[in-house]
Amino acid sequence: MSLRQWLGAMPWAGLAGLLVAASPAVMYASSPPGPELQQAIQAWRQAPYRQTQSSAEVSLSVAWQAAYARSPAWTQLAQKLARDGQLALFRAEDDVWQVNGKQAESYTCAGSTGNASVFWFGGAAYEKEQGGWVSTPSSPALWNPVLGAWTSPRLASQGGSEDEVVAVMSAASAQATFGPWVAGVVGSALFGGRGMSKSDLQALLAHTTVYGHFAISRASAVPQLQSATVAAVIGVPASVVAHALGDKAASAVRSMTWRMDWTMKTSYLHLSQPLPQGLHPAGWPSPGSGNSIGSGTSGDNATQSSNETAGGSLQNGT
């Protein structure tokens, strides 16, 4: 299966739920800017109104040994790696708002070869299929790597009313959050239809480091997450290169590094989204019934998004 075929067959919301659910429990960092980052992530999760746009892409960097760098024998391999190593994975939008005091959430995702739409309201979840909207018995959860377990947070810059905080995701959280992506994206690009062995996957994950960069506004009483970039840097060991491309290729490659970048921007405007065409969720107010679509207050942060199953952790770094 090629990389693009794997992406086309990928159940975006279902796989994402597995990853988020694997995140560890919340732990607070005791030194600044840990509490600020923790509060910003929690406020984002619990915001009664928010609009979040996110995207993910993957890129590959290969450095060749000097003796092979200009060799025509490696041109075809270099071209293949360059072609498979640059790909936009998906773009998504996640909107949360209030309807008569109940949370509504709409998620749409456009992948490289397919789309997905999910809607939550009143404790029920709906997915859009070819024939229209259908109720799903198990509520899908979304992939939000910002909710990983972050260690060693530090202030990168501070200006006006905004702080920039950087942190490193714990090894266990990085493997749980990015493991299936490494298996699918890197595994498909390197091994194709042969599939990647468990030992090779473990070797890749052992050489994976995940970094987070967070922009936090201090304009209000509670810190607010404005944007974030989560980057997984995967160094490919020579043994994995040899298993994937052969011993000769491994001897020609000086280094191989994959990078997966997930970026998001969010706002907290009191905006109510229209109900998707053809969807009729139970309990939704009928037009002219006098019910308020936009009820709720900006200070009501007691309910987190129903599709998020684990919180962003902060752990003291060493």
Side-chain angles (χ1 to χ4, degrees):
M1 179 181 290
S2 70
L3 174 56
R4 284 171 174 78
Q5 288 173 329
W6 179 85
L7 289 168
M10 177 179 174
W12 299 102
L15 174 58
L18 173 64
L19 301 185
V20 175
S23 298
V26 174
M27 296 180 64
Y28 290 86
S30 59
S31 59
E36 179 184 20
L37 178 57
Q38 178 70 32
Q39 292 169 18
I41 292 175
Q42 292 287 26
W44 175 77
R45 295 179 65 208
Q46 298 171 353
Y49 292 85
R50 73 165 188 257
Q51 303 84 41
T52 302
Q53 289 79 40
S54 62
S55 62
E57 61 185 20
V58 63
S59 59
L60 170 65
S61 174
V62 180
W64 298 89
Q65 299 287 359
Y68 299 90
R70 294 181 176 86
S71 173
W74 301 104
T75 299
Q76 185 175 0
L77 176 59
Q79 290 176 342
K80 177 184 183 300
L81 292 175
R83 182 180 65 251
D84 289 347
Q86 307 289 331
L87 186 65
L89 298 178
F90 65 84
R91 301 185 66 86
E93 180 170 339
D94 183 27
D95 296 296
V96 174
W97 70 101
Q98 302 295 305
V99 178
N100 282 358
K102 296 180 180 180
Q103 179 173 283
E105 182 167 7
S106 174
Y107 175 83
T108 57
C109 174
S112 59
T113 57
N115 303 329
S117 297
V118 188
F119 191 89
W120 295 265
F121 180 70
Y126 307 84
E127 292 188 76
K128 189 175 184 180
E129 298 183 351
Q130 289 186 348
W133 288 91
V134 297
S135 177
T136 177
S138 59
S139 179
L142 303 183
W143 186 59
N144 282 317
V146 74
L147 300 180
W150 297 104
T151 70
S152 305
R154 63 178 179 86
L155 193 64
S157 66
Q158 188 173 37
S161 60
E162 184 173 287
D163 292 341
E164 291 191 9
V165 177
V166 295
V168 179
M169 189 179 290
S170 73
S173 183
Q175 292 185 18
T177 303
F178 282 91
W181 288 94
V182 172
V185 175
V186 178
S188 294
L190 292 181
F191 291 87
R194 290 180 295 150
M196 181 167 55
S197 69
K198 184 178 180 179
S199 61
D200 283 334
L201 175 58
Q202 291 174 338
L204 287 175
L205 294 178
H207 290 79
T208 297
T209 305
V210 179
Y211 303 92
H213 189 140
F214 309 89
I216 300 172
S217 172
R218 293 180 285 102
S220 59
V222 178
Q224 287 189 325
L225 182 65
Q226 300 295 309
S227 63
T229 298
V230 178
V233 180
I234 305 110
V236 183
S239 61
V240 177
V241 177
H243 295 162
L245 306 177
D247 291 335
K248 289 185 178 180
S251 65
V253 173
R254 187 169 77 247
S255 66
M256 178 181 291
T257 304
W258 287 85
R259 180 184 173 107
M260 297 184 194
D261 285 285
W262 177 87
T263 60
M264 63 88 89
K265 291 185 178 180
T266 194
S267 63
Y268 303 90
L269 299 176
H270 281 220
L271 298 177
S272 298
Q273 303 298 324
L275 194 64
Q277 185 175 4
L279 176 62
H280 305 285
W284 192 267
S286 58
S289 63
N291 294 328
S292 173
I293 298 297
S295 62
T297 61
S298 60
D300 180 13
N301 285 346
T303 304
Q304 74 180 50
S305 176
S306 60
N307 68 321
E308 293 163 1
T309 58
S313 309
L314 282 170
Q315 300 173 341
N316 290 322
T318 56

